Structure formats: structure tokens, C-alpha cells
Amino acid sequence: MEPKKKNAMAVTLVLGILGVSLLIASFATDNWVTSSPVLQRSTQTPGNDTDGSATKYTGNITFGLFRGHRVLDYGIGPRPQDINVVCSGSDGVCAWSNSSDSAKRADYIKRVVKFVNINKTNGTVKDLIEYGLFNFGLWVSTIVMLALGIVWGLVSLGFTAFNVVGKPIETITGPAGLYLWNGLACTFSLLGALLFVGLFTKDLSSNVLPKDDVEVGWVSKDRTKLDYSFYFVVGAVLSFIASNVILLVSGQKLSCSYNRAGEKELDNGMILY
Ligand SMILES: *[C@@H]1O[C@H](CO)[C@@H](O)[C@H](O)[C@H]1NC(C)=O
Ligand SMILES: *[C@@H]1O[C@H](CO)[C@@H](O)[C@H](O)[C@H]1NC(C)=O
């Protein structure tokens, strides 16, 4: 391989490592979403709700794909708690639970779904979201897509390393294959990011608080945003795209031509082994 192409391949390798690292970091960090809810006591003490900023209690919530942390001030000082995701596949919903009791956590979704079905005539998805539930399918498919992004990213890394140090001759292991592996890593990461944006805009941006807090008067609507763990995925997508652009610019053939150089390398290979 020409030095120019070899250098491009090395850059591709670095970008691939960056992409996979960012995807892993997005799983490992719990800052996908940040929210700063407020306690609006309008239902409890009518009269001093909207303008009395001194009586306004606030909180902070951050979470990742599986767990998170929250600090809410109910008026008796900040109360830190860990939160965990709980899901009910049969109901098609997940929720963030601040209960440290796993039996209570498991029961939580059933309780909310039952409450909405009984107490809201024609309980809708919107009612469920109001009580802190979110779409199970979108959540699971986000995780699956990102996991596949990591898998294809690792495959791409493996073959890129092989192309840098080795003398690949077969198409799928050679430079042409790299477009495919990179492309797959990019596509799945992008799908993961888009699914999460869907989940965020549809459900999470409306409410991230559990039923008990909603009933007391906590509100997180318009106070929730995507945070850096999510942007790690965006960074990974860009890395995989940059990888392919560099391969293309450096003149790696997209098509799989079986040329003379390949034959020669094959001969060398036969002599060597
Ligand atoms: C939430 O975060 C803000 C900004 O970092 C901080 O001023 C506030 O005190 C925090 N609230 C609680 C309840 O910890
Ligand atoms: C329905 O609402 C009433 C009053 O708000 C409450 O007492 C009852 O427990 C609720 N039902 C369920 C299933 O939660």
C-alpha cells in the first residue's frame, strides 16, 4: 500500500478508536438528560405560588441509560437520591424510580398504570407520561442500536488495524470492506441517537418525575435538556463519517478489484507461509 494510503488508514484507525470510545463512554456516563424541576405548590397553598421566588423549591436530576441521580429540595433542604430505570415490557413502559426497595420499584409501574386506567377515563399515553412513564420500545431499541454500533465499530477497528499492519488481499477484509464496517457503525449509532431524540421529545421532555412528586407539585416540563452523554453518540457518528471521508479522499477504492498487486501479495503470502 502507498504511504499516503497507509497514513490515511492510520488516521481512520484513530477515528475508529475515538468513535468506539465515545459510544462506550455514552453507556458508562449518566448524563444523557439533565432536568432542573421546580416545586409549584399551587395545588397545596394557593396564593403564594407564581411570583414568590423565595418559596420556590428546586431540584436537579441527571440520568443515563440505566441509572441516575437526583437532588430535590422539598423545603427541608436538598435530598439526594439515586434513581434507577424500571421497565414493564407487558405494559410497554419504563419509569425512573427513586425507591431503594427493589420490590417497590418492580411494583411502581403496575401501580401507575392501574391508577391511570382506573382514575382517568380512557387513560391515554399522555396520562402515563404525566406520571413519569416513558416508552419501553424506544428505550430498548436505543440501547440495542448503540450496542450494535459498538460491535460494528469494533469490527471496523479490527480490520483497519489489519489493513495498517497487514497486507490484506481479500475484498471484505481489505480497504473496500472498511467503508462497509464504518458505514454500519455509523448507521447504528445514528439510529440510536435518533431513537433517543424521539424518546426525549415524545416523553422525557414532558416529565421525568415519578407520580408521587408530580402529585406534590413538582414540574419538569420545559426544564429538561439533553446532556453530554447523548452528545458523545453524536461525536461517535461524526467520527465514523470522518473515517469514511478520509478513506474516500485518500483514494481507497470503493469497488473490489482483483488487481496485479493483489496477485503479487498472494504470491508473497504463499512463499511466506
Ligand atoms: C441544582 O443545581 C443548581 C445549579 O448547579 C444549584 O444552584 C441548585 O442549588 C441545585 N439544587 C439543588 C436542590 O441541589
Ligand atoms: C383514584 O383516586 C382516588 C382519589 O384520588 C384514590 O383514593 C384512589 O386510590 C385512586 N385509585 C387508584 C387505583 O390509585
Side-chain angles (χ1 to χ4, degrees):
M1 199 184 294
E2 306 158 30
K4 186 183 154 223
K5 286 189 181 173
K6 204 117 185 162
N7 286 342
M9 206 65 90
V11 175
T12 302
L13 185 64
V14 172
L15 284 170
I17 292 172
L18 180 67
V20 171
S21 306
L22 284 170
L23 285 182
I24 292 171
S26 79
F27 267 97
T29 52
D30 294 332
N31 288 274
W32 278 72
V33 171
T34 301
S35 184
S36 38
V38 286
L39 180 55
Q40 291 174 344
R41 287 195 187 264
S42 50
T43 52
Q44 304 246 304
T45 47
N48 70 342
D49 48 358
T50 40
D51 44 29
S53 59
T55 61
K56 214 174 205 179
Y57 298 111
T58 64
N60 295 309
I61 304 176
T62 59
F63 55 80
L65 291 175
F66 306 102
R67 74 209 136 244
H69 190 73
R70 60 179 234 171
V71 183
L72 296 192
D73 184 353
Y74 294 83
I76 48 164
R79 182 166 163 220
Q81 287 174 315
D82 289 326
I83 53 175
N84 289 284
V85 78
V86 281
C87 287
S88 165
S90 54
D91 295 308
V93 284
C94 295
W96 287 103
S97 167
N98 59 319
S99 174
S100 51
D101 182 343
S102 62
K104 258 190 180 168
R105 277 212 299 270
D107 185 48
Y108 173 72
I109 288 189
K110 297 281 172 215
R111 194 158 59 84
V112 177
V113 169
K114 195 170 155 220
F115 171 84
V116 168
N117 283 343
I118 292 176
N119 279 14
K120 303 254 171 180
T121 36
N122 305 323
T124 60
V125 174
K126 202 162 164 291
D127 292 320
L128 294 176
I129 294 169
E130 266 170 35
Y131 289 107
L133 303 191
F134 57 91
N135 192 298
F136 172 73
L138 284 174
W139 182 76
V140 167
S141 35
T142 299
I143 291 167
V144 169
M145 292 305 150
L146 292 180
L148 288 173
I150 292 177
V151 169
W152 289 118
L154 287 173
V155 169
S156 175
L157 272 188
F159 282 118
T160 311
F162 182 53
N163 275 274
V164 172
V165 297
K167 282 192 172 126
I169 39 132
E170 281 163 275
T171 28
I172 210 75
T173 63
L178 292 183
Y179 288 109
L180 179 63
W181 313 127
N182 263 328
L184 285 170
C186 179
T187 305
F188 282 108
S189 315
L190 182 63
L191 279 175
L194 290 177
L195 285 166
F196 194 79
V197 168
L199 180 65
F200 179 80
T201 49
K202 205 170 83 55
D203 299 358
L204 297 174
S205 62
S206 298
N207 179 34
V208 292
L209 292 149
K211 180 171 172 285
D212 297 345
D213 292 317
V214 170
E215 285 174 342
V216 176
W218 284 95
V219 176
S220 68
K221 195 170 168 56
D222 299 327
R223 312 189 125 263
T224 307
K225 59 181 176 51
L226 292 168
D227 205 355
Y228 66 81
S229 302
F230 167 77
Y231 293 108
F232 283 168
V233 179
V234 177
V237 171
L238 295 178
S239 300
F240 294 130
I241 291 175
S243 243
N244 265 0
V245 168
I246 283 170
L247 284 178
L248 202 62
V249 168
S250 75
Q252 297 292 355
K253 278 205 192 70
L254 255 174
S255 63
C256 326
S257 57
Y258 186 75
N259 55 22
R260 289 248 152 232
E263 262 171 46
K264 210 170 148 221
E265 276 165 17
L266 183 63
D267 286 345
N268 289 345
M270 279 176 156
I271 292 160
L272 270 169
Y273 303 110

